[in-house]
Each structure stands twice: as C-alpha cells, then as structure tokens.
Amino acid sequence: MAALYEGYTLCGRVSGQSLSDSGIRGIEVERDGDHVIVTDSSRSVTLYKVSDQKPLSTWTVKQGQSFSCPAVYNSQTKEYVAVSDSKVVRIWKEEDMLLEKVFKATVSSEIWRVHSVPGGEPVVLFKSGAVRLLDYLLSAPQQPIEEIVSQEETIWWSTNVVAESQQFVIFTTEQKGDHFLYLQRLNPNTFQRYHLEREEPGLSPLSFCASYRDKHISLLYLYPNGHLYQSALSVRNQAVDSEGVQALPLSRSLLLSLPVGEGPLEAASALLLDEAHVAVVGVPHPSAGTGKDFLCIWNTNFQTLQAGKEMAGKIYGQLWTYSNKLFIPHGKTLSVIPYECPKSCLASALGKLRQAKTEEEVQKEVEGFLSRADGPDLQLSAGQLASALVSRSLANPAFYASNVLVQLVHTQFLSHSVCPDLILLALERKDYFLCQLCLQFFPDIPEAVTCACLKTFISVALPRSCSMPDADAEKVSLEPDGISFMEALMAGEHGETSVQNGFSPGDGKDCSDALRGDDAAKSSAAPEQICPVQLHKAALLNEVLLTAYTDTFLLPHLKDLSSQHIILFLQYLHYLYLRLCQDASLQKPGVRSPSVTQIMDWICLLLDAHFTVLVMTPEARDLLMGLHTFVKSQVRLVSELGKMEASFQELDKMQVKRDVGQNSIEIIELL
C-alpha cells in the first residue's frame, strides 16, 4: 500500500505574476536526489540541499531581466545552464557569484526549454520545434534554426527521455483546439508527429508526463473531466525529418477516471511514480468535502486511492518528484512530501512467477498470494496471474502450470475476456479438465471458442483420431457431476424401456415404412440406445451443450465442422434425446446435465448448418430417418396434448347445476 509521510517546507514561495501563478518556473535535480535547483518566475535560481531544508547558493539576473525556463545541471561539466530573455544562454559553476560575469551566448531563435539527464549532454528545444545539443549550438550560436512546428502551433509541454542509450525529446503543441505530440530522436536527428484524440469539446490536457519502460515510451495526460489517459510510443521506425510530415493518430487507453467534484478541474497534475502508481494534485478526494485540496496517490492496477494528504492553501497544479519525494507548491510555501510505493504483493508474485522453474514453485507462490489477497484486489489479481502464466506457457512449450490455472479458475474471478488465451492453451495442451472448468465458470465464451472446444472433443471421440485415443480419453480426470450423470444414463442402456412422453424407440413405424422396410427399422433401433461415445468424452460434449451462445454467431462456425464430426455429434444428441425422453428422472436438481430443449436446439442448428451435406452423405441416411421418426412422434404427441387441453378447458367452463352426493356417479358428455 502506497503511503504519504509527514512533509516539510523547503522554502517560501515567491508571488507570481497572477493568482494562478505559483511563482515557481521549475524544479530540476542537481548532482543527486538530495540537491535540487529551484527557478522562480522572476529573476532567481537557488540550489537547495533538501535534507537540510536550506539554500546552498542563489544566483540572480539584473533588474528587468528574467529566466525564460528552469535552470538545469550539466552533470558532464558540473555546470548550470539557464536561459534568460528567451535567447541568452548562461553557463556558470557553483562558485560563481555574479551571473553578469559568467559565460553568455545569444542565439538566433527563441528557446522554449533546456533539458538535461544525468550523464547526458543538455538538449536545447526551440519554440520552433527544432532541437540542438548544447555544445553544437554554442559552437555557432547564430546558426539558423529550422521551423518544425507551424506558425499557428504553440508548444505546451516538453521533456526528454533516455531510451535504448539514446536521448529523445518529447513535446506537445496546440493548434486551433487540436493537440499534437512530437517525438524527436537525436543522432540521427529524426522525428515523428502524432495527433492526440479529441476529448469533449473545449477540453485541453492539464498535464503531461512521460517515462520509458518495456521498450516503449509511456505518456500520461490528464483532462479537466478527470480522465487520465495512457499512450505508448514506439522508439523505433521514426519518420525522417521533413517538412509537412503526416501526423499519425495516437491511440490511447483510459487509465483512471478521477473524481472532479462540482465542476471541471482547473489546476491539476498527474505524475507517474512507478508502473502501478500515479500521484495526483488538484483533484478532489473522493470522500472529502468540497473546498479542500489534496495530494493523492492512486493505484492504476486496482483503480483505488491508496494515500491522500490535505494541502493547505491554494493549489497551482504543479508537481515534481525526485528520490521518492514529491515537491508541491501550495499556499505560500514549497513543500516536500516523502512517499513510498512498495511493490505490491501482486507485482511481487508476478515477478516470482517469471523466475519459478517448476510447477511446484509456481503453485507455492500463487497459493501464498491467494491466501493474502482479498476482495477487489483478488478479483483483478487472479486475471493478471492467469495471464502471466498463459503468456509464459505460450512462449515456452516446456512450461505449463495446469494445477495452478485450475486453482485460479476455481476462484471464479476469471472469464474469457480477462484471460482470452486460456481455453485455447488448454486445448493445445489437451488439458480437458481445465477446458471443462472454463466452460462451466466462464460466462462470456465466444461462439468461435465454443466450436473450437466442440471440434476438439469430437475429434477425441473419433475412433481413429490423432488427437487422443479412446483409451487415453478415459484416463482424463473430470468433474464428478458430469461423470455421474452419464454413468446413470449409460446404466439403463440395456434395461427395459417404457413409453414416456408419447414415444418409445420402437414407435414411429408408420413414418419409417415410407422410407424403408420394417426389418430395417427394427434393426436400426438398437444402436440408438447405445452411446456412440465413451463416458468421459460424453461429459465433455455435455459442457458444450450447456454453454451459452447466440444462434447467429454460432452457425458460421458450425459450418466448419466436417460431415464425419456432424454425424457423430448428431448420433450423440439423438441418443441423449431418446434416453431423457424415456426416463425424465435422470435429470436431477443440482446435477449438471443438458435439457431436452437444449438438445433439440443443437440438433436444429446442426441440421441448419449441414442439411444439404447430410442428405448427400450415405452414412447419414439412417440417422436422418431416425431423427425424422422421433420428430414426427413428438409432433403427434403435441397434437394429442392439444386435444386434451381443449377437453380440460371445457370441463373448467362447466358449472355444477345441482348438488351431487358423495356416493354417486355422474356422467359428463363433452360435445
């Protein structure tokens, strides 16, 4: 759990030029995280030692001059670099006292910002969008500067990032309500322009921040409606610098939807602390009243507020972080708030899962995590753990943690949308027990995946299937409910059958005579009472029958099944239908088993998808005749029930005309 600790004042705040101006132009790290450079919006640059809460040196320009951007520290030369009046570059050392006597160079174009990273050479970004390394610029200060952005574009924000041993300058611009992002690479000097998606009309980003991780530059930006978006930028395949380069659309994902209170945010900022935590200032606390300003830390994985601290005085929407300390101007002070974002149990578990070599090690880590996690954390964590295990299994054929995946499915916090590759992985590894559990617990399985399971199970059921021999299929461990239902169903195959629901296997002779002889009809009745697939395979097929689907989406995938698969599946459905019609007691409450309605729906779908092929297939002739027989018998049954319904309705309408004694017989005539 992230935490904000007791803060302290680093310095008083110089009044800005307006009520919305904090008076602080920027804060940059110096030689280490305990030394920072504070540039105010007037004429001063001050070096502070944070732990001592005191200034070490202060430098000031003459009256009438001002710093145009925050001063930075050049770690290579141990010098400070600042820009005054937009065009004058000043460089000095800590022992220099007067800025009028230090090195100065006037450049030919206005500078937006100087950026520096530890160990790297400072980079100068001009308001025109052009970028120069500091040494190269100072070798010829009056060199011409090209125009990268159009005259109507204005730079809003910029930073620099080191990625793959190269420096990148990132800056955003605004032009007539549209916002663009430029990713500039140095050596070679190339750039790419992106177009940010528009938010609600009239809304512009309040803050940006960027970091490099997982071979991508991650960009976070906050809007006045509380939406915090994240975009990923590739550092490869950039376009060569050219005039009028096409702006690519920048895809984004909603990372957080923050509370906004009574109206849109005005002065707010979001800062990425690590891969799972974001510091936010100027956003209302969800449980606090209006009129109070807070500094908060949100967990982006769990979408939860983990720490909050009320800040006295006005908030200006500015925030910096160095060495686990947050720097925030508020009221009349610049405060330092130490924070901690310990690695979550989930992150720790994911890290250990990547390092674990055996399934036993993986299972031990997951069991330990599940025993510690609870509530909403567990719901999200189960999906991330399962996704990590599935990704590792797909990447490494030698790794597969079946028992751990089964354990995660049993939490009932997984679904197909949370871990979309899980079922296909289980099919690939022939883990039919895991497939069965997913079919039982996942409410959102797409029809394509359902048909993939059906095709695999049917292939397993074929006597000469290359997927798995029948004998091996019977060794598979499955859920006991499905097995017990099929055992009860198969136990009555050779017993005496009775006529129920108006139909018995030997019935329907009248309709089959027109298609074949009596002897053929009698000889084909017996196989219909024997299950065409073995016990465990039947239990797997039943799970497919119980899976939710939509006819429109299922039909196209059913057409991909071969005629051999369709015939076998129809034979099994025919068998199920006959057995359940003969003995309705087989379906018991609490036992997973397909209903007669579900069986009929699947038969209709299969016939709709493959009727033409089945009619032309000799092997399907007897099956179609049998289906015709029981369908006709059911039609006759419904017809007779309709007649009975009419008779009962007439009885209900009749009124008793006189009292009838208890020991009497009354004859009622129905016309």
Side-chain angles (χ1 to χ4, degrees):
M1 180 73 73
L4 290 168
Y5 298 110
E6 190 65 30
Y8 48 88
T9 299
L10 182 63
C11 63
R13 184 184 62 81
V14 178
S15 298
Q17 298 178 355
S18 64
L19 293 176
S20 60
D21 184 4
S22 69
I24 296 178
R25 194 170 294 279
I27 301 174
E28 296 287 334
V29 69
E30 202 230 21
R31 68 200 74 172
D32 54 40
D34 196 34
H35 293 79
V36 295
I37 309 166
V38 179
T39 305
D40 62 41
S41 57
S42 58
R43 301 185 298 129
S44 299
V45 172
T46 305
L47 172 64
Y48 288 93
K49 186 173 183 181
V50 179
S51 58
D52 292 343
Q53 305 173 45
K54 68 177 183 179
L56 300 180
S57 298
T58 299
W59 301 273
T60 306
V61 294
K62 291 193 306 184
Q63 188 72 29
Q65 298 176 339
S66 63
F67 288 106
S68 308
C69 60
V72 300
Y73 181 71
N74 186 345
S75 59
Q76 292 182 337
T77 62
K78 295 181 173 51
E79 294 175 326
Y80 303 95
V81 182
V83 178
S84 61
D85 303 322
S86 298
K87 288 188 176 182
V88 180
V89 179
R90 299 173 184 261
I91 300 177
W92 71 94
K93 292 184 178 292
E94 185 175 354
E95 57 268 21
D96 294 328
M97 301 300 296
L98 299 176
L99 291 184
E100 293 307 311
K101 296 183 179 182
V102 302
F103 173 85
K104 290 184 291 185
T106 302
V107 297
S108 61
S109 182
E110 291 188 345
I111 294 174
W112 163 260
R113 186 78 183 263
V114 179
H115 290 288
S116 181
V117 293
E121 183 180 349
V123 178
V124 180
L125 172 63
F126 290 87
K127 291 184 179 180
S128 65
V131 174
R132 294 287 190 276
L133 290 171
L134 180 62
D135 285 350
Y136 180 77
L137 175 64
L138 296 180
S139 66
Q142 289 298 310
Q143 61 184 273
I145 303 300
E146 67 274 14
E147 296 284 339
I148 300 298
V149 302
S150 66
Q151 293 183 353
E152 297 176 338
E153 280 185 89
T154 304
I155 297 180
W156 275 40
W157 166 86
S158 66
T159 189
N160 67 328
V161 174
V162 176
E164 299 182 356
S165 302
Q166 285 192 323
Q167 279 203 63
F168 290 83
V169 175
I170 308 169
F171 62 93
T172 62
T173 64
E174 186 272 338
Q175 180 183 10
K176 296 180 179 179
D178 286 319
H179 291 266
F180 300 91
L181 181 138
Y182 290 78
L183 180 61
Q184 180 94 32
R185 181 200 297 266
L186 303 175
N187 294 328
N189 197 346
T190 60
F191 79 93
Q192 180 62 62
R193 185 174 184 241
Y194 297 91
H195 184 206
L196 273 66
E197 290 185 36
R198 282 202 172 196
E199 191 65 0
E200 300 173 16
L203 294 186
S204 297
L206 294 174
S207 73
F208 292 89
C209 71
S211 64
Y212 177 73
R213 65 183 183 191
D214 298 332
K215 298 183 179 180
H216 286 82
I217 294 176
S218 177
L219 180 73
L220 265 64
Y221 39 109
L222 175 65
Y223 280 89
N225 57 5
H227 289 176
L228 180 63
Y229 291 101
Q230 182 179 40
S231 296
L233 302 170
S234 174
V235 297
R236 300 176 181 177
N237 301 324
Q238 286 186 264
V240 177
D241 186 354
S242 60
E243 185 176 354
V245 65
Q246 183 69 30
L248 301 177
L250 182 62
S251 61
R252 68 184 186 183
S253 59
L254 183 62
L255 192 64
L256 284 174
S257 185
L258 299 168
V260 297
E262 298 178 348
L265 304 176
E266 295 180 356
S269 181
L271 199 61
L272 188 66
L273 302 180
D274 61 21
E275 60 184 12
H277 296 90
V278 173
V280 179
V281 67
V283 175
H285 193 289
S287 59
T290 58
K292 296 181 179 180
D293 291 314
F294 280 82
L295 170 65
C296 299
I297 296 180
W298 288 78
N299 186 301
T300 57
N301 286 338
F302 303 131
Q303 309 281 301
T304 55
L305 175 64
Q306 293 200 335
K309 188 176 186 64
E310 185 176 358
M311 307 304 296
K314 183 178 177 59
I315 292 291
Y316 299 94
Q318 291 178 300
L319 193 62
W320 297 268
T321 179
Y322 300 107
S323 300
N324 281 20
K325 300 180 185 69
L326 291 167
F327 297 79
I328 173 173
H330 63 101
K332 296 183 179 181
T333 62
L334 171 62
S335 292
V336 180
I337 312 294
Y339 71 89
E340 184 180 16
C341 294
K343 199 171 185 180
S344 67
C345 295
L346 172 61
S348 177
L350 289 173
K352 292 179 179 178
L353 287 184
R354 297 186 185 100
Q355 299 173 0
K357 296 181 179 180
T358 65
E359 183 176 357
E360 290 74 18
E361 294 176 357
V362 172
Q363 187 166 2
K364 181 179 179 181
E365 292 299 331
V366 171
E367 288 177 350
F369 173 77
L370 294 178
S371 64
R372 297 188 299 268
D374 58 353
D377 289 356
L378 179 58
Q379 186 168 1
L380 181 61
S381 303
Q384 294 190 347
L385 290 172
S387 297
L389 290 173
V390 169
S391 298
R392 182 176 174 184
S393 299
L394 292 173
N396 181 11
F399 176 82
Y400 184 61
S402 175
N403 292 335
V404 180
L405 291 172
V406 167
Q407 188 176 8
L408 291 172
V409 172
H410 270 300
T411 65
Q412 300 189 32
F413 289 134
L414 295 186
S415 64
H416 177 80
S417 56
V418 170
C419 193
D421 295 326
L422 178 56
I423 297 179
L424 297 180
L425 172 66
L427 291 175
E428 178 185 326
R429 299 300 179 94
K430 299 179 182 179
D431 189 348
Y432 301 111
F433 179 51
L434 180 58
C435 288
Q436 183 187 31
L437 291 180
C438 292
L439 290 172
Q440 289 181 7
F441 291 123
F442 288 7
D444 58 346
I445 299 177
E447 284 75 4
V449 177
T450 301
C451 276
C453 293
L454 172 61
K455 186 174 182 179
T456 301
F457 299 159
I458 286 290
S459 298
V460 169
L462 291 175
R464 297 181 181 178
S465 169
C466 60
S467 297
M468 185 169 68
D470 281 3
D472 292 342
E474 295 309 304
K475 300 176 183 178
V476 176
S477 175
L478 298 177
E479 282 285 284
D481 282 354
I483 296 297
S484 62
F485 168 73
M486 287 308 303
E487 286 176 340
L489 208 66
M490 293 179 175
E493 287 178 353
H494 304 289
E496 294 184 0
T497 60
S498 59
V499 177
Q500 294 193 25
N501 291 342
F503 177 72
S504 70
D507 203 357
K509 176 181 174 182
D510 55 335
C511 66
S512 61
D513 286 345
L515 300 174
R516 55 183 176 168
D518 291 345
D519 293 339
K522 293 176 182 177
S523 63
S524 65
E528 295 170 355
Q529 299 303 301
I530 304 299
C531 184
V533 297
Q534 294 189 11
L535 178 66
H536 288 69
K537 300 170 186 177
L540 290 173
L541 291 175
N542 289 347
E543 295 297 343
V544 174
L545 299 180
L546 292 166
T547 303
Y549 63 87
T550 301
D551 297 5
T552 306
F553 299 134
L554 185 62
L555 269 174
H557 300 289
L558 288 177
K559 293 179 180 179
D560 294 335
L561 297 176
S562 67
S563 59
Q564 191 178 13
H565 291 156
I566 291 298
I567 291 173
L568 180 60
F569 195 29
L570 281 173
Q571 288 173 344
Y572 176 65
L573 293 174
H574 190 192
Y575 164 80
L576 276 183
Y577 183 87
L578 294 178
R579 292 292 295 121
L580 293 179
C581 285
Q582 292 166 12
D583 190 356
S585 64
L586 292 170
Q587 290 184 307
K588 299 178 181 179
V591 177
R592 288 182 59 83
S593 60
S595 65
V596 172
T597 302
Q598 288 172 321
I599 297 169
M600 285 298 300
D601 289 342
W602 272 92
I603 290 176
C604 293
L605 284 170
L606 291 172
L607 292 177
D608 288 343
H610 288 272
F611 186 76
T612 304
V613 175
L614 291 173
V615 169
M616 302 297 293
T617 305
E619 294 84 354
R621 184 173 180 271
D622 290 343
L623 174 63
L624 292 177
M625 288 181 176
L627 292 173
H628 176 73
T629 299
F630 82 73
V631 168
K632 185 173 182 179
S633 69
Q634 293 301 294
V635 171
R636 187 172 69 244
L637 170 63
V638 172
S639 176
E640 294 298 328
L641 290 175
K643 295 177 183 178
M644 294 177 62
E645 181 184 19
S647 300
F648 285 124
Q649 288 176 349
E650 289 297 325
L651 285 173
D652 188 55
K653 292 178 182 178
M654 295 180 63
Q655 297 181 357
V656 180
K657 298 180 180 179
R658 63 182 185 279
D659 293 335
V660 179
Q662 292 182 352
N663 298 322
S664 63
I665 298 175
E666 183 178 6
I667 299 175
I668 301 175
E669 294 184 3
L670 298 176
L671 301 178

